Amino acid sequence: MRIAVIRKGHFNAAHQLYVPSWTREKNERIFGKCANPNFHGHNYELEVTVIGEIDPVTGMLINLKTLKDIITEHIEEYFDHKNLNLEFEEFKDSPPTTENLCIVIYNRLRTVLDEKYDVKVRLSETPRNFAEYPVN
Ligand code: NI
């Protein structure tokens, strides 16, 4: 029987959304305040969904302590209090939007979580905006 477990995470990071080949006016029109020149922070909230079969002996899908430690080590400690534009190769050529950050987080988790699991990541940059990856 397949089931999902979900673990939440949290980190703070700074960014700026800015396409260098556009004018400042166009960047402000498209990205709003996220285009401000001196960066700004967001309180990112994360939900990691792990899907798979319950182990009949333990009754668990995944040890939640293990999942917590993976999120702490590979996501929270990696991104917390950093500047997404300046400190990450991942955003050298792609804007650190919620969408792109969600995919980067998914890819990092995918490399450490057992391949027997399906994984889904939901990321919010503000309480009302979310991105989710992957989607069908
Ligand atoms: Ni922003």
Side-chain angles (χ1 to χ4, degrees):
M1 190 196 305
R2 275 163 64 83
I3 195 164
V5 299
I6 299 156
R7 170 81 198 177
K8 291 185 177 181
H10 173 83
F11 60 90
N12 302 312
H15 81 162
Q16 179 197 34
L17 298 181
Y18 197 87
V19 175
S21 60
W22 293 353
T23 62
R24 165 138 295 281
E25 290 68 30
K26 182 169 181 182
N27 274 286
E28 284 173 1
R29 184 154 38 84
I30 302 298
F31 295 124
K33 287 181 177 176
C34 278
N36 284 354
N38 293 323
F39 304 100
H40 57 276
H42 287 287
N43 299 317
Y44 288 100
E45 298 289 343
L46 181 69
E47 281 179 29
V48 177
T49 302
V50 177
I51 302 160
E53 300 283 338
I54 297 174
D55 181 311
V57 178
T58 63
M60 296 192 295
L61 167 67
I62 184 170
N63 187 312
L64 275 163
K65 171 75 167 73
T66 308
L67 182 58
K68 172 186 187 277
D69 291 345
I70 286 172
I71 293 170
T72 300
E73 179 184 346
H74 296 275
I75 307 301
E76 293 173 341
E77 286 177 4
Y78 187 69
F79 288 115
D80 193 41
H81 284 70
K82 301 272 179 68
N83 183 311
L84 299 175
N85 298 78
L86 302 182
E87 297 180 71
F88 296 92
E89 202 57 37
E90 296 91 322
F91 299 113
K92 216 174 159 52
D93 299 310
S94 75
T97 56
T98 312
E99 294 91 321
N100 282 335
L101 183 54
C102 189
I103 293 168
V104 167
I105 289 170
Y106 170 84
N107 288 335
R108 288 184 66 77
L109 290 172
R110 192 63 282 186
T111 62
V112 285
L113 284 164
D114 194 307
E115 61 187 24
K116 71 184 179 183
Y117 299 121
D118 287 327
V119 178
K120 197 171 252 197
V121 172
R122 192 174 218 238
L123 181 71
S124 78
E125 188 183 87
T126 73
R128 292 185 179 85
N129 298 330
F130 290 82
E132 197 166 59
Y133 185 81
V135 287
N136 299 322

